[in-house]
Amino acid sequence: MKRKMGPIEDVKKQYVRMAIESGNAAHIARKVGVSTSTLGGWMKIYREEVDSEMREEGVSPLTESSTSDDLQKKYEKAMKLLGEKELEVAMLRDMFKKKLSD
């Protein structure tokens, strides 16, 4: 069965990317409000695709040899992405509430 792609899958992939880039899936799971096993499942599904996108963009995950400047840049980018996704979720919730009240 072919998986339906849409905004929810985009959000999941973004969370997977944040986990890969940060090197700390448990922290990202707590930040976005999902269980570590849920995020781990999404990582199994989307890891190859996200890794490929990251290679195309020239983005690499953090390693032990990453500098503090690398860490700061990745942290700022992750927080920006998280903020964007939180805004999207809030907008979707608002639209859903309006739809229910109609």
Side-chain angles (χ1 to χ4, degrees), residues 12 15-16 25 29 32-46:
K12 291 176 184 177
Y15 292 161
V16 168
V32 301
V34 299
S35 71
T36 54
S37 61
T38 297
L39 182 56
W42 296 343
M43 290 181 77
K44 287 179 184 175
I45 295 169
Y46 299 113

Side-chain angles (χ1 to χ4, degrees), residues 14 24 29 43 50 65 96:
Q14 211 50 57
N24 191 341
M43 290 181 77
V50 172
S65 63
F96 183 71

Side-chain angles (χ1 to χ4, degrees), residues 67-85:
T67 66
S68 61
D69 197 37
D70 291 337
L71 294 170
Q72 184 64 33
K73 286 178 185 175
K74 289 195 181 282
Y75 175 80
E76 289 170 3
K77 184 173 181 177
M79 290 300 103
K80 179 181 178 213
L81 292 172
L82 179 59
E84 290 172 358
K85 295 306 167 189

Side-chain angles (χ1 to χ4, degrees), residues 3-100:
R3 186 180 1 264
K4 183 179 174 184
M5 295 303 290
I8 300 301
E9 281 73 25
D10 291 340
V11 170
K12 291 176 184 177
K13 284 192 250 179
Q14 211 50 57
Y15 292 161
V16 168
R17 182 175 178 142
M18 290 167 59
I20 293 169
E21 285 183 349
S22 72
N24 191 341
H27 175 73
I28 297 301
R30 281 191 306 274
K31 264 316 223 186
V32 301
V34 299
S35 71
T36 54
S37 61
T38 297
L39 182 56
W42 296 343
M43 290 181 77
K44 287 179 184 175
I45 295 169
Y46 299 113
R47 178 139 201 162
E48 279 187 35
E49 184 178 347
V50 172
D51 280 341
S52 175
E53 290 172 2
M54 288 173 62
R55 277 192 302 277
E56 288 174 10
E57 296 171 13
V59 176
S60 60
L62 293 176
T63 64
E64 289 184 20
S65 63
S66 297
T67 66
S68 61
D69 197 37
D70 291 337
L71 294 170
Q72 184 64 33
K73 286 178 185 175
K74 289 195 181 282
Y75 175 80
E76 289 170 3
K77 184 173 181 177
M79 290 300 103
K80 179 181 178 213
L81 292 172
L82 179 59
E84 290 172 358
K85 295 306 167 189
E86 287 175 343
L87 179 60
E88 287 177 18
V89 168
M91 291 171 56
L92 288 170
R93 283 184 180 146
D94 188 48
M95 289 171 53
F96 183 71
K97 286 178 186 176
K98 286 180 182 176
K99 188 72 172 174
L100 286 178

